[in-house]
Amino acid sequence: MGVVASAPAKVILFGEHFVVYGEPAIVLAIDKRAYAEAKFQDKKRLSLRSLNLNLAGHFEDGSFTIEQGDAKEARAKFEPIKSAVDKVLEKHGEGVGLDIQINSMVPVAAGLGSSAAVAAATTAAVAALLNVTMSKEDIFRITYESEKVVHGTPSGIDPAISTFGGTLLFQMDTGFKPIEVKTEIPLVIGDTGVERSTRTQVEKVRGLKERYPQVVEPIMSAAREVVLRAMDALKENDLKTLGELMNINHALLYGVGVSDESLEWLVNAARKSGALGAKLTGAGGGGCMVALAKNDNLQQVMEAIQRTGGSPFVARKTDEGVRVERA
Ligand code: PMV
């Protein structure tokens, strides 16, 4: 029996993309988790298997061997995990053979932070197996390094929320501050089923920002204002304002080119069915949207998203960040 650890997915309520340039963002951890089980093995290699992606392979003496699925895809998914494992092994001091099995409940490449959740869970599982003492800050740092392998210039928002859980106000230069949210926030997430790369989406915004700095700067400062107003609305349990601000935030993201047809369908369907607000979440260009419903119309919002071709689920916030489930 190995050590099992898990970490939560997240939904960015406000501020994605602009956060990469130093603006604030609000993110919350949700009750969908990625699980990693780590065991020793006799061979001095790192074996990885993803049950949800049907991929398996191993790294040995600097080369990768595929065991199940497409080699290129497996390598792309496993490299960041390997980078996290290597960092833990550096602290351990000697080479050991490891066998890691991932089982993630988080839709992949959908804006919910699946790669960070997997990296945080794996880091915690391997550290516990090797008896390496690690603070949450250590896990955060390792997960952040692993995210850099996934996409060049991550803000760090995904590793922070997967590690610490809860609801966070995140800003690159000042770090993150937990936000106390007393009210229930009834969220419906709609997955368009369209996979996209965060790296490509981030580069798209960078391109626009370089070509039209005077146009994009005011959009960024409007996004900052949205986050500040949303902080007040959260403090005052004012869901109506929160919904309005989500709609404005979506328009700003549309403005920098990261919405797409699949997202527009779901966002509009959610609004028409009575959601207080709806926006894309994460990198956009497909992936997921999030709607703020009322407790009495969650079902209608879910059905509207489903009818429009999306896969909806209700997301509950969770305070639990990365944790060891079974040592
Ligand atoms: O779509 P995700 O889960 O990879 O979230 C990306 C969030 C961005 O703000 C677009 C990028 C970042 O590093 O903050």
Side-chain angles (χ1 to χ4, degrees):
M1 287 262 262
V3 172
V4 178
S6 75
K10 61 102 211 308
V11 54
I12 299 181
L13 275 189
F14 297 98
E16 52 272 270
H17 281 290
F18 311 118
V19 72
V20 173
Y21 301 94
E23 300 300 347
I26 298 174
V27 57
L28 57 94
I30 58 170
D31 56 351
K32 283 221 181 284
R33 304 182 76 85
Y35 294 82
E37 176 170 19
K39 289 184 204 162
F40 290 115
Q41 66 169 321
D42 294 335
K43 292 191 183 117
K44 279 214 168 158
R45 58 166 68 155
L46 171 63
S47 299
L48 290 161
R49 174 175 299 278
S50 165
L51 295 180
N52 49 296
L53 296 176
N54 292 317
L55 295 171
H58 63 264
F59 293 92
E60 191 171 13
D61 297 331
S63 61
F64 178 70
T65 307
I66 186 75
E67 291 165 20
Q68 184 190 358
D70 176 66
K72 196 160 165 256
E73 188 193 353
R75 209 181 167 135
K77 296 283 189 241
F78 291 159
E79 285 284 0
I81 304 174
K82 178 181 186 300
S83 117
V85 173
D86 286 347
K87 292 262 167 18
V88 185
L89 286 174
E90 273 168 28
K91 289 196 179 235
H92 180 65
E94 60 179 289
V96 286
L98 291 173
D99 188 327
I100 291 164
Q101 187 160 291
I102 311 287
N103 198 5
S104 176
M105 311 295 143
V106 187
V108 174
L112 302 179
S114 67
S115 57
V118 167
T122 305
T123 305
V126 173
L129 181 74
L130 299 176
N131 270 322
V132 173
T133 312
M134 249 188 214
S135 63
K136 283 205 167 168
E137 270 74 19
D138 293 330
I139 297 177
F140 163 69
R141 245 171 263 124
I142 290 175
T143 307
Y144 185 35
E145 288 305 312
S146 142
E147 280 289 278
K148 287 189 186 159
V149 179
V150 184
H151 68 100
T153 53
S155 62
I157 194 168
D158 286 15
I161 195 71
S162 284
T163 306
F164 294 96
T167 306
L168 303 177
L169 175 69
F170 180 91
Q171 198 158 4
M172 268 175 89
D173 51 356
T174 51
F176 48 86
K177 245 190 0 222
I179 309 172
E180 202 195 335
V181 180
K182 291 199 203 82
T183 179
E184 171 77 10
I185 307 179
L187 295 176
V188 179
I189 292 180
D191 188 352
T192 61
V194 177
E195 281 200 22
R196 81 291 176 277
S197 126
T198 298
R199 185 190 279 268
T200 313
Q201 293 297 109
V202 169
E203 276 164 12
K204 204 193 263 180
V205 176
R206 169 154 302 126
L208 271 189
K209 194 171 170 294
E210 278 167 12
R211 288 200 302 283
Y212 307 103
Q214 282 92 340
V215 178
V216 176
E217 295 294 340
I219 297 180
M220 300 252 172
S221 53
R224 174 179 2 159
E225 201 52 39
V226 164
V227 170
L228 299 180
R229 297 289 290 265
M231 288 291 289
D232 292 339
L234 277 171
K235 270 188 216 131
E236 288 153 18
N237 301 334
D238 180 355
L239 294 187
K240 188 167 170 285
T241 302
L242 219 51
E244 250 166 29
L245 291 167
M246 284 169 75
N247 289 341
I248 298 174
N249 196 153
H250 180 75
L252 299 175
L253 289 164
Y254 187 100
V256 294
V258 293
S259 190
D260 79 338
E261 202 185 352
S262 67
L263 285 164
E264 289 306 308
W265 277 104
L266 301 195
V267 164
N268 286 321
R271 288 177 188 160
K272 266 197 219 152
S273 71
L276 293 168
K279 64 182 274 292
L280 70 86
T281 185
C288 288
M289 49 73 71
V290 56
L292 178 62
K294 293 181 259 182
N295 271 325
D296 61 5
N297 73 2
L298 270 171
Q299 205 50 41
Q300 278 111 293
V301 176
M302 296 257 288
E303 279 163 20
I305 290 172
Q306 180 106 48
R307 265 199 313 276
T308 321
S311 309
F313 62 90
V314 172
R316 307 266 171 214
K317 68 181 159 64
T318 175
D319 287 333
E320 288 279 325
V322 66
R323 68 178 181 220
V324 173
E325 303 275 343
R326 193 185 72 211

